[in-house]
Amino acid sequence: PHYHTNTPSSIFKRLYTVANESDTIFVQFDFAAYYDQFKLHQDVRDYFCFQGRNGEIFSLTRLPMGFSLACAIAQATTWQFLNFECQSEIITCIDNVAFTGPVDKVHHDVTAFLGRIAQCSATLNELSTIEIQQYLTSNPSQQLHHLRSWHKNEFTFLGVKYDWLQKKKALSEKTMEKLLAVQNCFQHLGHTIKPRQLALIVGMLRYCSMVLNIQLFHLFDLLSWSRRISAFLQEDITRWDTEELHWNSNTKASLQSWFDIILSTTDTEMFYILPTNPPTTIITDASGIGWGAIRINPDGTSTTACALWPSTINSSVEAEPKGVSEAAKALISNKDEVETIFILSDHEPLVFAARSSAPKSFHYNRMMETLFSTFPKKRFVFAFLPGSINLADSLSRNI
């Protein structure tokens, strides 16, 4: 069977294009105290030991939470529960299992899953052992009735709150509590910060930004500083808790503004469906001597633009994103009615970086920052175009 490690958003986007929404349901289960349900055999307990303060060695009888090997065992067990001919879309993450898709397909998979749960005497938070047995012994029509009662239009999965009807997502209550706790710690820090504290703050903010689709181009300096510190300390993990990093007022102000942006964003779209009509497309290219671009409108009309660089640029990492920025400023206006603009480039690193909320390269980040600050109401979708068919190539070379 195929198990998805991506998010509900990506699966719902796929379902949205192929399924009747009124016939699509979402059913979620959560194992109760999952790690405690694994009783370790006597032969393997020696691999799960810890030493007490007096030097005495203790062995665990249950699977420990937070241990990487334990996580792998728990995830593999969840997959084994689902080792049948699955018909619906299934999302799993250790003790979380979600089924979504047409009712009949979800019915097939949930019934098979609960049957295996009953065989192993595993326990779920949502259903008692008696309720599972009642479901399994009822007729198909009664089972379908149960399924529809379990369906939720609003649900939380892995720290994210989803609204299927509105196609929106937001931070869950637990995630918000964690965010506010991290903010409280941040606000009580002095002139220094430990690397582990910095990693906690930046990690929490990046996760929340990912959920809420918040762009981080304006935080390039802060994120670069954080990455350099992380790379520097990788060789000696003890320094994560002993090193004292001095930070200036600009760094603290950037982090505070990041908190403010997240807390002011209530929700965001769950996914984006590309327009069915021909989009406005800009084909771009850049060379060492200049840049060139062609705008193709939905009605088939086109406009070209090109220019030479003041001085030769020897790096494509610098020339290509700069060419996109110049092409956008030359061929796009905020007065345009189009909301979505496709940008085609034969420079794969640029396309990859543009799909990130925070490119690591300065030049790619500057390109995205320019696009979003100059055209705040436009949506840019980047795609790769092989160089052999890039019509803007000759324009960039002044041919």
Side-chain angles (χ1 to χ4, degrees), residues 70-91:
C71 295
I73 293 171
Q75 181 65 72
T77 303
T78 301
W79 283 335
Q80 191 60 34
F81 275 119
L82 298 165
N83 189 17
F84 52 83
E85 291 298 325
C86 303
Q87 297 182 8
S88 67
E89 300 277 0
I90 302 177
I91 317 162

Side-chain angles (χ1 to χ4, degrees), residues 40 129 135 140 185 271 352 372 377:
L40 298 178
T129 303
Y135 172 86
C185 293
F271 50 77
F352 178 81
F372 278 85
K377 296 184 179 181

Side-chain angles (χ1 to χ4, degrees), residues 179-393:
L179 176 65
L180 294 174
V182 171
Q183 183 189 40
N184 183 60
C185 293
F186 161 74
Q187 292 174 339
H188 285 83
L189 291 172
H191 298 292
T192 61
I193 182 174
K194 287 182 169 57
R196 191 175 299 278
Q197 292 173 322
L198 178 64
L200 170 65
I201 294 170
V202 172
M204 188 70 201
L205 291 173
R206 290 210 67 162
Y207 172 76
C208 294
S209 299
M210 177 192 69
V211 171
L212 297 172
N213 297 328
I214 295 174
Q215 306 298 333
L216 307 178
F217 311 125
H218 62 294
L219 298 172
F220 180 80
D221 292 338
L222 170 64
L223 294 175
S224 297
W225 176 65
S226 175
R227 282 193 291 264
R228 287 196 301 270
I229 292 172
S230 177
F232 179 70
L233 297 176
Q234 280 300 323
E235 296 181 359
D236 185 1
I237 61 174
T238 61
R239 297 176 64 183
W240 282 86
D241 297 305
T242 58
E243 196 86 7
E244 292 284 348
L245 304 174
H246 292 271
W247 55 354
N248 56 38
S249 57
N250 290 335
T251 303
K252 295 191 72 173
S254 295
L255 284 169
Q256 183 58 59
S257 68
W258 197 354
F259 275 108
D260 294 340
I261 292 172
I262 292 174
L263 292 171
S264 64
T265 305
T266 55
D267 57 31
T268 187
E269 59 188 8
M270 192 184 297
F271 50 77
Y272 173 66
I273 300 296
L274 295 175
T276 55
N277 297 326
T280 297
T281 303
I282 296 180
I283 304 174
T284 69
D285 190 59
S287 66
I289 64 173
W291 62 272
I294 305 172
R295 170 173 170 161
I296 303 176
N297 300 311
D299 61 3
T301 59
S302 63
T303 308
T304 62
C306 59
L308 299 176
W309 302 125
S311 59
T312 302
I313 299 178
N314 295 319
S315 170
S316 61
V317 173
E318 179 182 356
E320 293 286 357
K322 191 173 183 180
V324 171
S325 298
E326 294 300 321
K329 288 186 286 187
L331 297 174
I332 302 173
S333 169
N334 279 313
K335 296 180 181 179
D336 288 343
E337 294 183 359
V338 293
E339 297 180 354
T340 302
I341 297 173
F342 277 57
I343 295 183
L344 305 184
S345 170
D346 58 16
H347 189 63
E348 281 193 279
L350 181 150
V351 176
F352 178 81
R355 293 173 177 174
S356 166
S357 62
K360 295 181 180 180
S361 166
F362 169 80
H363 298 291
Y364 298 140
N365 189 88
R366 174 62 64 84
M367 173 192 73
M368 298 305 296
E369 188 175 13
T370 299
L371 292 178
F372 278 85
S373 61
T374 308
F375 310 102
K377 296 184 179 181
K378 305 295 184 188
R379 181 191 297 272
F380 295 93
V381 179
F382 284 76
F384 175 72
L385 178 72
S388 58
I389 57 173
N390 189 334
L391 300 178
D393 179 79

